[in-house]
Amino acid sequence: MNVLKVSGWKIAAFVLPCLLIYSLLVFVPILVSFYSGLLDWNGIGAAKFIGLKNFEKMLTNDSIFWPAVGRTMLLAGVSMCVQLPIALFIAILISRYVKKPNFLVSSYFLPVILSVVVIGQLWKTIYNPASMGGMLNQILESLGLNSWTHSWLTEPKIAIYSVIVVALWQYLGYHILIQFTGIQNVPSDIYEAAKIDGASGLKADRYITLPLIVPIFKISVVLSFIGSLQSFDLIMVMTGGGPAHATEVVASLMYNMSFLSMKYGYGSAIASFLVILCLAATIIINGLFSKLDKRYS
């Protein structure tokens, strides 16, 4: 076997430019955001260094911040506990019972490639009152369920759940595709051997499919959780964080503080919190799945 020997400085010469560009585009903005969180600044005029006061206010004296964190975690939790199991179930059904599954998987994936603005406007029309042509309320009224009709995006107690339903629908196909790909990569001879031993159907999925797709499922979990923490565009298109901050999440609060309330320093403090939250979530998820990897390896 021939081994290509390359000196360390040559490897560094190729890697260093990419590392510098990556650091410039990723780490430098994060550090700038942390520093901006230490300023009393509207983003245009003179900035005043105030230390950790923005962080202190954010954590102890902001009635909007912690409810926004709660809604962000609610979105992430629903995505993990509802969206991913449904995606896994559909992926297993497609891989097992559909002979030419590509078209069906592509159909589920279609909402992912649509613009968020298009999806937001589409669902706003669906959620409209029946008098304005809202399809959902019209269907409920036609079924005699008038008491179930609501102003889905303007009632504070319901609005966040209305947005979560849209987010789950939009990205369901994304996770179906990931998990379907993982299931397709499981060697078929393992299933055939298991079938000879009497393991098929749900038992085969329990003892073969699920353990072997753990690394793929981990990717789906990380993308789902981090994506939920960073959810912003759909919230802004459908509600803008309203009514009365009832659909405000951390990312939308950061935007509203930075660019609408002109509190750029405070918005940067919220952005710094979001970065720390994403890093912590990634470390925790990797730690949990490393135990599963060891168990099934």
Side-chain angles (χ1 to χ4, degrees):
M1 180 177 178
N2 296 324
V3 178
L4 181 63
K5 294 184 178 178
V6 181
S7 59
W9 69 269
K10 287 183 179 178
I11 295 175
F14 281 99
V15 172
L16 192 59
C18 297
L19 185 61
L20 290 175
I21 293 174
Y22 183 80
S23 300
L24 190 64
L25 296 178
V26 177
F27 292 113
V28 172
I30 291 175
L31 294 177
V32 171
S33 179
F34 272 95
Y35 176 72
S36 299
L38 304 176
L39 304 176
D40 181 11
W41 189 29
N42 61 10
I44 299 175
K48 179 183 177 183
F49 186 83
I50 57 173
L52 297 175
K53 288 186 178 179
N54 280 330
F55 292 92
E56 181 182 355
K57 177 185 175 183
M58 175 183 71
L59 297 174
T60 62
N61 194 26
D62 188 339
S63 59
I64 303 174
F65 176 72
W66 285 113
V69 174
R71 291 183 204 98
T72 303
M73 299 307 293
L74 173 66
L75 178 58
V78 172
S79 178
M80 300 267 290
C81 299
V82 177
Q83 187 182 50
L84 295 189
I86 293 175
L88 178 61
F89 179 69
I90 294 175
I92 290 175
L93 289 181
I94 292 175
S95 62
R96 176 164 298 172
Y97 297 109
V98 180
K99 291 185 178 179
K100 295 181 179 179
N102 292 340
F103 175 76
L104 193 55
V105 174
S106 301
S107 300
Y108 279 112
F109 194 75
L110 186 61
V112 180
I113 62 175
L114 290 177
S115 165
V116 174
V117 176
V118 172
I119 289 178
Q121 293 298 331
L122 171 68
W123 278 89
K124 282 176 71 175
T125 305
I126 293 174
Y127 282 143
N128 273 339
S131 59
M132 298 175 62
M135 187 174 70
L136 180 56
N137 281 334
Q138 285 183 346
I139 292 175
L140 292 173
E141 289 181 0
S142 66
L143 295 174
L145 301 173
N146 297 51
S147 60
W148 289 21
T149 59
H150 291 280
S151 297
W152 300 99
L153 295 178
T154 57
E155 293 184 22
K157 292 183 178 179
I158 296 177
I160 185 62
Y161 299 103
S162 303
V163 177
I164 288 176
V165 167
V166 180
L168 298 184
W169 170 81
Q170 183 185 5
Y171 292 107
L172 179 66
Y174 187 68
H175 298 289
I176 288 177
L177 177 63
I178 292 174
Q179 294 168 34
F180 174 76
T181 305
I183 294 171
Q184 291 295 299
N185 287 329
V186 177
S188 59
D189 54 350
I190 297 179
Y191 289 110
E192 293 171 3
K195 193 173 183 180
I196 294 173
D197 292 335
S200 60
L202 293 176
K203 188 177 287 185
D205 291 327
R206 165 70 176 82
Y207 292 103
I208 297 175
T209 306
L210 295 182
L212 291 181
I213 68 167
V214 165
I216 298 297
F217 195 72
K218 172 188 171 184
I219 296 173
S220 201
V221 169
V222 171
L223 292 176
S224 173
F225 199 86
I226 301 302
S228 299
L229 296 184
Q230 298 174 337
S231 58
F232 167 75
D233 42 10
L234 194 61
I235 295 286
M236 296 306 295
V237 171
M238 296 190 69
T239 65
H245 301 290
T247 58
E248 202 85 78
V249 293
V250 176
S252 65
L253 180 62
M254 173 196 68
Y255 174 84
N256 288 333
M257 286 294 171
S258 299
F259 302 108
L260 298 184
S261 299
M262 299 299 289
K263 298 177 180 177
Y264 190 81
Y266 190 67
S268 297
I270 297 175
S272 303
F273 175 85
L274 189 58
V275 171
I276 294 172
L277 191 61
C278 290
L279 286 175
T282 304
I283 292 171
I284 292 173
I285 292 173
N286 280 327
L288 292 175
F289 273 90
S290 65
K291 294 181 180 178
L292 286 177
D293 288 337
K294 291 179 181 177
R295 179 177 179 182
Y296 292 114
S297 60

